[in-house]
Structures are given as C-alpha cells and as structure tokens.
Amino acid sequence: SAAKVVVVGGGFAGATAARFLRRENPKLHVTLVEPNATFIACPFSNEVLVGLRELSAQQFRYDALKREGIQIVQQAATAIDADTRTVTLSDKTVLSYDRLILAPGIDLDWKALPGYDEAAAQRMPHAWKAGEQTTLLRRQLEAMQDGGTVVISAPPNPFRCPPGPYERASLIAWYLKTKKPRSKLIVLDAKDQFSKQRLFTAAWKQLYPDNLEWVSLSQGGKVTSVDPSTNTFTTEFGAHKADVGNVIPPQRAGRIAELAGATDRTGWCPIDPVTFESRLHKNIHVVGDAAIAGAMPKSAFAANAQAKICAAAVAKLLRGETPAEPRPINTCYSLVAPDYGISIAGVYHPVNGLLADVEGAGGISPVDAPAQTRKAEADYAAAWFRTITGEVFG
Ligand code: FAD
C-alpha cells in the first residue's frame, strides 16, 4: 500500500509541503492537519495596519489542495508519538504516518516578558500572527489623536521575519506623517543591529525625521516589562507611556513541536539541512519558522523553499533513495513607504550540519538608488506575494 505522510500546519511551509509531496509522487497518501478553514497571511499585513490594504486580501482557503487529492483535516494536532508514529487530534482521532512533516510556525512566548500575556495582548496587540490582532492594532492607530505616541517593542533574535518590525515602523511612520503629523513613533529594540539596517535608517532620515525614533539596545531600548493597564513600556533606562502600544514579544516554535519532543533548549527545532529531518526524532521533519535553519531567516519565502526541498527528500527517502544537497534561496522585500521597496536576498548550502550563506551570493538593494528603483522594488514585492500565494494556495 502507498506510504502515508501527515503534515501538521497549513501555512506557507505546510501547505507547500502537502502540495509538492503529491507532485513528487501522486500515489502518496497526504493528510494536512490545520484547525482553521481560512489561512491569514502575515506578509503585507503591515500594509493592512495602515489602511493600504484590507485583511480580506490576506485570506486563503484550501480548496485547491483538496481538489489535488490532499486530505484536509480541520483539527489541531494535540499530541505526537514518535515511537508509534501517530498524531492525536483535538477530536481524539489518531492518524498514523510513515513520515510526519511539522510546520506549526511560531508561538508567542507568553512567559518571556513580565506583564505580557494573552490578556495583555488584547490591550497591547502583537499583530505578529495576522487576523484579529491586525485589525485590533489598526483600529487603535485609527482612533489615536493627532499628537499621540505609538511605541513598538522589537524582540531579540531569532524571531519571525527579521525585517518585519522595521517595515512596520516605516509604514506606521508614513501613516502618522500623512494622517496625524504631530504624532510620534518610538521603536524600543532589544538589539543593536537589524536586517537591512543601512537602508532603513537612510530612508527614515530622509522620509520621517520628525516622526520616528529608534532606540537601540545600547541606548536603553530593551523592554524589561510592560503594563497593559497604563500602556507603559519599562526599559532599564526608564519608562515610555504609549497611546498605542505594539509589543512584538520573544517567540518559539509552535507548541506542538515541543509536545512532539522536536524542540531543543532554545525552543526551536534542530534539523538536518539536507532532509529537514529532526535531529531529535526519526521520521519527523520540521520546516518553516519552527526549524533552526542556520543562516536562513524565518520568512514565508524560506518556509516555501524549505517545504519543497523537504517534500522531495521525503518522497526519495520513502523510495529508499538518497536526497540531493539543496541550494535554497530567500528574498525578503520590505516597504518603507507605499512606493518605496527594499530587499535582501541570500543563497544557502549545508556546511557542518547547518545551512550557511554561499559566500558572494545574495545582497541588499543599493543604498543610493533613484526613486524609480524603489518603486520597481515595491512592485516586485506585490508580484512576489501574488506568486507565492498562488503557488501555495491558488
Ligand atoms: P505559518 O505560516 O504561521 O503557518 C503555521 C500554521 O500551522 C498555521 O496555519 C497554524 O494554524 C498551524 N498550526 C499551528 N499549530 C498547529 C497544530 N497544533 N495543529 C495543526 N495546525 C497547527 N515573510 C516573507 O517571506 N516576506 C514578507 O514580506 C513577510 N512579512 C511579514 C510581515 C509580518 C508583520 C510578519 C509577522 C511576518 C512576515 N513574514 C514575511 C514571515 C512569514 O509570515 C512567516 O515566516 C511564515 O508565515 C512562516 O510559515 P510557516 O508555515 O512556518 O508558519
């Protein structure tokens, strides 16, 4: 009988893996476990926050996957037994597998930042999982008076979407400058360095000198606690009271990865960079944000690339063949303003058990570029989103 592969999580990584498994071998039994009927994508959700886009443009369903013969089970996985090779679902159904692909994305770490728990997120949204949280933060920005203060706290590494907090800061600064010009945004950062920093800081100086202030770790940016009852961020150097407070807290692999015993003490999942098989359990593979992918960032682009590699490797392993060494790539676009895009690209290869940068490949947008280059990159960003969501869900 045909081999059974169960995929847990129907986001960028999991939905890609399910589809590409069937393309590698149409005889495979592929089951995708995902509790939500509609997936809400994070890329471009920063545009939703500032009214440049509606949340409905972020929503995708699984009909195309169903038509291709993938079995979609609308449940959450609640337990995984690596010895008996079974997955238990929230309705107590038990699925057995020959190979399991875990793609649960991230969980916010509700214990990492004193004062910040799930209840606090109703007052100080994270908006780091798109959906209700995106809408909540957007409503708060819309309701804020001109002259108000917005505060964003950015987490330490590693976290989902390294340039994401800075794209968000840029677009909120754009919103303030154009709609509420007497207002101010302060970014409190737990780091001294961040992705595409030279490009972002040059653009901020040019576009938002009066509306955006970035406070680095060394300048006292690390937030040590928050108080949702007063919207206050406390740092080692003092306190900032916000009219709108956006807390992007520390993160870890989705909880089911921990329940499967696939996480190490960092809270993320160590994997083999050729097959994405867990280093802690045989026959379990981990792709997307939950995995420790070395130099590859936690992005939708990377999740999609890893899932294709993993699907090909799983199909080969099930046939008793040896998977080839991968050369995945990543590109992350960010918008600094509606017509102002910048990007970073990388190429990776396995070195000493980790995915490392291929020296001399990849790079970032030029620091000095004409407006038409920035406009072209904003168009490429939109085209990338259409292409990837079409490939994964369309
Ligand atoms: P997800 O896409 O989050 O999917 C995980 C899925 O697993 C979810 O559907 C969840 O419901 C499901 N799941 C979780 N637990 C279980 C369980 N127990 N049982 C069953 N299912 C479960 N990336 C880019 O490449 N470009 C960008 O421009 C970009 N912009 C971003 C902007 C923001 C503001 C943010 C927050 C992120 C951005 N990202 C971007 C990053 C991107 O969203 C993530 O890297 C990507 O979603 C990771 O894919 P994933 O499949 O690992 O996780």
Side-chain angles (χ1 to χ4, degrees), residues 11 51 61-62 71 77 81 143 149 151 160 194 205 225 288 354 364 392:
R61 296 179 65 87
Y62 298 97
Q71 210 197 329
D81 187 326
T149 301
V151 178
R160 158 175 285 181
F194 60 86
K205 221 170 135 186
S225 70
L354 279 176
I364 61 168
V392 180

Side-chain angles (χ1 to χ4, degrees), residues 8-14 33-36 39 42-43 45-46 75-77 103-105 128 160-161 168 256 288-289 298-301 303 333 384:
V8 172
F12 282 100
V33 179
E34 164 62 54
N36 303 305
F39 176 73
C42 285
S45 65
N46 286 329
Q75 296 286 328
W128 218 242
R160 158 175 285 181
C161 196
R168 177 172 292 179
I256 190 66
D289 285 358
K298 298 189 187 302
S299 73
F301 194 122
Y333 294 98
W384 167 78

